[in-house]
């Protein structure tokens, strides 16, 4: 015969499962406040489980609903992530808690006849099983969160995860309420075998579901980054074609003006031709950085900046970009300049519409620095600067695309803010 699991052990398992996600996910509060909330959650879960153990069986289901609500509330209060994501992590935490509590007590009860029952031995089994299972949960979830970041769980995916978790829980615990069903056991050993195996199946299904959703999330992100790469390349190609046409027109008009000047000119005509020639200078390819691709991108962005009264200062050694692929150059400079332009063009004070671009080498590294002035507080959501664009389809993927491209060459991206200046730096090791 196997005695029922001590209710504090169940509460401890539920708390430790939630603690894993509380330590991994973005905190809503500082460590001191979060620690107090977590400690309070353990106390509350212990009280709820104690009451579940002394009330009649009819009140068992309402009691478990309260315990589940406390688990969800613990993750929700401590972590600043979307509600659907919290629900998904809650389903995983609950299933791991059920499995760990069941398997630990089953092993302890099996070996209890071989040693003298004591708090010391119970504590030993708790440390081994709870520490091992929740250590594994912490490690695998840390790896998943590093790979995929914000999961972006849909409500349909959340319903699937909750259905798996609650379904496994109900089947594994049905023997405690109804003994006359096809899924019920009649002896305590059978009940625990059923509970442990069903909980293990629930854990495996949820972990598999999370892996599948993580792969879909990463694939979606890579597809979005690839789409941005293609967009930036298409913009460069269109700008290149436009610049070629403009340059041909520019040179043709220069010759025509020269012919007109050979004729007898009135003062007004001379003044008109001078103005025309001065205005046409902005149409020519004005950058000679050493990189034809970068020249085209900078010329295109400079034309847009002039039309929108934005000052773009450029100090660039484009010759050092020769080891970068064409599409990668388009991605880095297209996205960085687009983000900077989007930020400053909303400023009412024209004098503050400032963008600085610098490309240089330092200690065998290529340095790309883009800075722009900003006034409003920057909003960060899930580790990403929140967009103000009307079209949010590719929100956040501009900077992700830059990071993806930098990491492709063994580099990295850093972002900082200081005294109303937003600075994005790309550091890439030079090829030897």
């Amino acid at each position: 015969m196997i005695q029922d699991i001590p209710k504090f052990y169940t509460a401890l398992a539920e708390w430790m499962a939630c603690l894993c996600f509380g330590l991994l996910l973005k905190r809503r509060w500082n460590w001191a406040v979060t620690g107090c909330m977590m400690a309070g959650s353990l106390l509350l879960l212990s009280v709820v489980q104690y009451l579940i153990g002394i009330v009649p069986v009819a009140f068992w289901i309402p009691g478990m609903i309260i315990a589940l609500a406390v688990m969800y509330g613990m993750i929700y209060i401590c972590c600043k992530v979307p509600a659907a994501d919290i629900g998904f992590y809650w389903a995983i935490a609950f299933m791991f808690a059920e499995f760990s509590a069941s398997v630990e007590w089953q092993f302890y009860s099996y070996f209890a006849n071989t040693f003298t029952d004591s708090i010391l031995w119970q504590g030993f089994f708790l440390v081994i099983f709870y520490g091992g299972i929740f250590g594994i949960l912490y490690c695998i979830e840390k790896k998943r969160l590093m790979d995929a970041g914000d999961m972006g769980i849909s409500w349909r995916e959340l319903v699937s995860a909750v259905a798996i978790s609650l379904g496994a829980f109900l089947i594994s615990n049905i023997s405690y309420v109804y003994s006359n069903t096809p899924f019920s056991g009649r002896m305590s050993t059978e009940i625990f075998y059923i509970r442990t195996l069903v909980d293990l199946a629930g854990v495996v299904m949820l972990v598999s579901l999370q892996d599948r959703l993580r792969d879909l999330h990463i694939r979606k992100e890579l597809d979005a980054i690839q789409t941005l790469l293609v967009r930036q390349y298409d913009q460069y190609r269109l700008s290149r074609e436009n610049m070629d046409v403009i340059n041909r027109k520019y040179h043709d008009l220069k010759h025509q003006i020269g012919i007109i000047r050979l004729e007898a000119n009135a003062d007004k005509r001379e003044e008109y031709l001078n103005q025309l020639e001065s205005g046409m200078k902005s149409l020519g390819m004005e950058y000679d950085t050493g990189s034809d691709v970068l020249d085209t991108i900078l010329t295109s962005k400079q034309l847009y900046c002039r039309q929108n009264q934005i000052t773009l200062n450029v100090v660039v050694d484009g010759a050092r970009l020769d080891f970068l692929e064409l599409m990668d150059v388009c991605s880095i400079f297209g996205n960085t300049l687009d983000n900077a332009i989007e930020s400053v063009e909303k400023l009412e004070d024209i004098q503050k519409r400032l963008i600085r671009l610098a490309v240089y080498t330092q200690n065998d590294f290529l340095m790309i620095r883009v800075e722009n002035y900003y006034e409003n507080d920057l909003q960060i959501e899930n580790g990403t600067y929140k967009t103000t664009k009307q079209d949010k389809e590719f929100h956040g993927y501009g900077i992700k695309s830059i990071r993806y491209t930098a990491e492709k060459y063994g580099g990295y991206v850093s972002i900082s803010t200081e005294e109303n200046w937003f600075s994005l730096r790309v550091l890439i090791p030079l090829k030897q």
Side-chain angles (χ1 to χ4, degrees):
M1 297 294 293
I2 300 179
Q3 297 179 356
D4 194 11
I5 303 173
K7 293 304 178 183
F8 176 73
Y9 289 10
T10 302
L12 182 62
E14 293 170 345
W15 180 78
M16 291 183 68
C18 294
L19 178 65
C20 289
F21 291 104
L23 296 175
L24 290 172
L25 299 174
K26 183 181 179 182
R27 298 191 310 276
R28 192 182 296 272
W29 315 100
N30 59 39
W31 276 116
V33 175
T34 302
C36 291
M37 290 180 175
M38 289 181 176
S41 300
L42 176 59
L43 178 61
L44 185 56
L45 282 170
S46 300
V47 172
V48 171
Q49 287 295 338
Y50 171 77
L51 294 176
I52 292 175
I54 63 176
V55 299
V57 176
F59 295 96
W60 175 72
I61 293 180
M64 284 304 304
I65 293 176
I66 295 175
L68 294 176
V70 174
M71 291 181 66
Y72 181 90
M74 177 180 173
I75 302 177
Y76 180 83
I77 293 173
C78 295
C79 305
K80 191 176 182 181
V81 293
D85 285 19
I86 291 177
F88 192 89
Y89 297 133
W90 164 84
I92 297 175
F94 175 58
M95 207 70 263
F96 264 88
E98 285 292 302
F99 170 69
S100 61
S102 180
V103 72
E104 185 275 335
W105 192 248
Q106 185 171 344
F107 270 88
Y108 171 79
S109 300
Y110 179 81
F111 289 103
N113 294 328
T114 63
F115 50 78
T116 303
D117 189 11
S118 66
I119 297 297
L120 182 62
W121 279 110
Q122 291 185 20
F124 173 77
F125 273 83
L126 278 178
V127 170
I128 295 298
F129 282 90
Y130 281 22
I133 292 174
F134 293 118
I136 292 173
L137 173 62
Y138 180 88
C139 292
I140 61 178
E141 290 300 328
K142 182 178 181 180
K143 179 64 168 61
R144 288 191 178 103
L145 292 173
M146 288 178 59
D147 290 344
D150 179 16
M151 290 288 292
I153 299 296
S154 68
W155 290 105
R156 177 181 295 181
E157 295 164 347
L158 173 60
V159 169
S160 299
V162 171
I164 293 173
S165 183
L166 293 182
F169 169 72
L170 292 175
I171 294 176
S172 65
N173 288 273
I174 194 171
S175 299
Y176 292 99
V177 183
Y178 302 105
S179 60
N180 189 23
T181 71
F183 305 102
S184 300
R186 289 167 176 80
M187 297 182 64
S188 61
T189 52
E190 291 179 353
I191 294 174
F192 266 88
Y193 294 157
I194 293 173
R195 178 175 180 176
T196 301
L197 291 175
V198 173
D199 288 342
L200 176 60
V203 167
V204 172
M205 285 189 289
L206 282 174
V207 169
S208 299
L209 176 62
Q210 188 181 15
D211 281 337
R212 176 179 173 275
L213 295 179
R214 182 193 63 173
D215 291 341
L216 290 175
H217 176 81
I218 294 176
R219 191 178 307 162
K220 177 183 176 182
E221 185 171 285
L222 290 176
D223 289 343
I225 291 174
Q226 185 63 31
T227 300
L228 282 180
L229 287 171
V230 173
R231 279 188 174 186
Q232 292 294 340
Y233 175 72
D234 289 342
Q235 288 182 16
Y236 155 74
R237 188 176 60 185
L238 181 61
S239 298
R240 177 80 253 182
E241 294 173 355
N242 291 337
M243 290 301 102
D244 290 341
V245 172
I246 290 173
N247 282 332
R248 288 197 299 269
K249 294 289 185 180
Y250 169 69
H251 288 294
D252 291 343
L253 288 174
K254 280 178 61 178
H255 292 302
Q256 293 174 9
I257 291 174
I259 295 174
I260 294 175
R261 284 177 183 265
L262 294 177
E263 301 178 357
N265 298 316
D267 293 339
K268 290 185 177 181
R269 182 180 299 176
E270 181 69 22
E271 181 181 354
Y272 169 76
L273 291 175
N274 288 334
Q275 293 177 355
L276 179 62
E277 187 175 26
S278 176
M280 287 170 51
K281 289 181 179 179
S282 63
L283 298 178
M285 182 75 77
E286 57 184 70
Y287 286 102
D288 185 15
T289 65
S291 169
D292 292 339
V293 179
L294 187 56
D295 291 344
T296 301
I297 295 173
L298 291 177
T299 300
S300 174
K301 303 304 180 185
Q302 186 67 271
L303 290 173
Y304 182 89
C305 288
R306 286 177 178 173
Q307 293 171 1
N308 293 272
Q309 297 178 296
I310 298 172
T311 302
L312 173 59
N313 295 320
V314 177
V315 179
V316 169
D317 181 8
R320 305 316 301 262
L321 305 174
D322 56 353
F323 67 96
L324 299 178
E325 296 181 7
L326 185 149
M327 290 188 66
D328 295 333
V329 175
C330 296
S331 173
I332 293 175
F333 290 95
N335 283 307
T336 53
L337 291 174
D338 283 346
N339 289 340
I341 290 171
E342 178 201 348
S343 176
V344 300
E345 67 181 347
K346 295 190 294 289
L347 299 176
E348 295 183 0
D349 188 350
I350 298 176
Q351 301 298 322
K352 295 180 179 179
R353 296 180 182 177
L354 304 173
I355 300 174
R356 299 190 298 228
L357 168 65
V359 178
Y360 55 94
T361 57
Q362 182 177 350
N363 298 330
D364 296 326
F365 284 90
L366 173 67
M367 293 287 297
I368 302 172
R369 188 178 73 244
V370 181
E371 301 172 327
N372 65 268
Y373 191 86
Y374 75 95
E375 287 185 339
N376 297 328
D377 293 335
L378 296 175
Q379 300 182 30
I380 302 178
E381 186 177 90
N382 301 322
T384 304
Y385 286 93
K386 193 173 181 180
T387 184
T388 56
K389 295 178 181 178
Q390 296 296 321
D391 179 13
K392 294 181 171 59
E393 178 184 2
F394 295 100
H395 160 45
Y397 288 116
I399 292 180
K400 287 182 179 179
S401 177
I402 299 169
R403 284 199 175 104
Y404 172 79
T405 304
E407 291 171 358
K408 175 181 175 181
Y409 294 92
Y412 66 92
V413 176
S414 65
I415 296 175
S416 61
T417 57
E418 184 177 358
E419 297 181 355
N420 293 104
W421 279 94
F422 178 91
S423 178
L424 185 147
R425 292 178 172 85
V426 182
L427 181 66
I428 301 176
L430 294 171
K431 288 191 174 182
Q432 302 298 326

